[in-house]
Amino acid sequence: MSAGLLRNSLKGAASAAPFFPTLLDQMPNAIVVFEANNLHLVYVNAAAESALDLSRKSLEGQSVQDLFGSNPFLSNMIEEIKAGHFSAERQEMVLHSLPGSIHQESIPAHVVVASLEDPSLIMMEWFPIDQQLRSERDERVTQQVEANKQLMRNLAHEIKNPLGGIRGAAQLLEFELPDKGLREYTQVIIKESDRLQDLVDRLLAPHRKAHAMELFNVHEALERVRSLVLAEFPKGLKIIRSYDTSLPEILGDREQLIQAILNIAHNAAQALADEISAGVAQIEFKTRVARSVTISKHRYKMAMDLHVIDNGPGIPEDIRERIFFPLVSGREGGSGLGLTLAQTFVQQHQGFIACDSSPGRTDFHIQIPYRKQEKPL
Ligand SMILES: Nc1ncnc2c1ncn2[C@@H]1O[C@H](COP(=O)(O)OP(=O)(O)OP(=O)(O)O)[C@@H](O)[C@H]1O
Ligand SMILES: [Mg+2]
């Protein structure tokens, strides 16, 4: 079929005219075709109609942004296709379909954006990632991280026990030293023991802490984090608030959650060094309500959705898959515990934490379910 003919037939399809591309309509995956310049839909297949729960007629003339809001992952894919860098791009992402409408839904989906023979048209295909598959994968990662943390804790205990002895012996030795010049060596033992002690304490810390449960406003917590980060990075960094102020109060350990968000925001600010010097560094705090979410096989009617998004260089590729593991750091002088702690705290609230990162955009996503108040943490 020539490009012109395809275009005509697609346009025809949009208005249910005779040139109906029946083949696409029989596909189980949702497919839309839109104009590259203004992103207006020219074709919607039957699966897309049913996925969006809207008729072809009412979808006509709408744009991709009308359907999915401003979705930077999707926009990036479309830009790549427009620029001709790739003929097809695929990515897993959460599609927030029909923002602002009563049909609004968040669908974790596998999305393909592809160029067509006619360069003025772009095709987008998506299918929901099977909820089961996703929760199994989350479960596997959680178990892996948990096993790792357990190992670390056991190891930390083993290190902690003899440390006191080593330090004490070095102090005694120091008193007995005939040559005071040799103190330099005992001091190395004492200082390094102290450093290890500090590390071990931090590895063991989150599991000792008692939970102080209270109802609190997450935006107040975010404002605290915001002022702490801005106090440390007063110039060149903008922290944008995109709050859904209708969010109900959350029941949890306020200080723990502040610490978790602070660790994430602090990492973002540290990663933004170049952007801060250039005066273009941005961190966005975004809160939304998420409905009917599954976290670790449990289904919740409602959850708090929080994103901390920065425009920094992204997480180094070699550690991207392991950032929540203890002692994994991509930073000079970093101890690699900030995100482990954040994850522990979020999980202690039955929540979920994940990260999507590529150069120019890193998005930490936290979901904390709203549970019945009487249920203890
Ligand atoms: N927003 C981000 N942008 C780029 N890299 C990041 C970002 N957040 C985390 N990282 C990477 O993930 C690593 C792990 O972070 P984590 O907070 O666990 O440890 P750390 O910052 O190295 O040490 P600390 O224990 O002091 O927090 C960081 O060292 C950094 O390389
Ligand atoms: Mg950190």
Side-chain angles (χ1 to χ4, degrees), residues 199 202 263-272 283 308-316 319-320 322-342 355 357 361-364:
L199 177 69
R202 283 198 288 149
N263 288 359
I264 293 169
H266 199 234
N267 281 345
Q270 284 172 328
L272 282 165
I283 301 178
V308 177
I309 307 164
D310 70 72
N311 64 343
I315 293 170
I319 60 165
R320 214 172 273 168
R322 299 177 289 127
I323 46 167
F324 293 108
F325 285 31
L327 309 184
V328 172
S329 175
R331 206 162 51 77
E332 189 77 19
S335 60
L337 287 175
L339 289 176
T340 309
L341 260 178
C355 175
S357 179
R361 187 185 154 91
T362 297
D363 178 355
F364 276 87

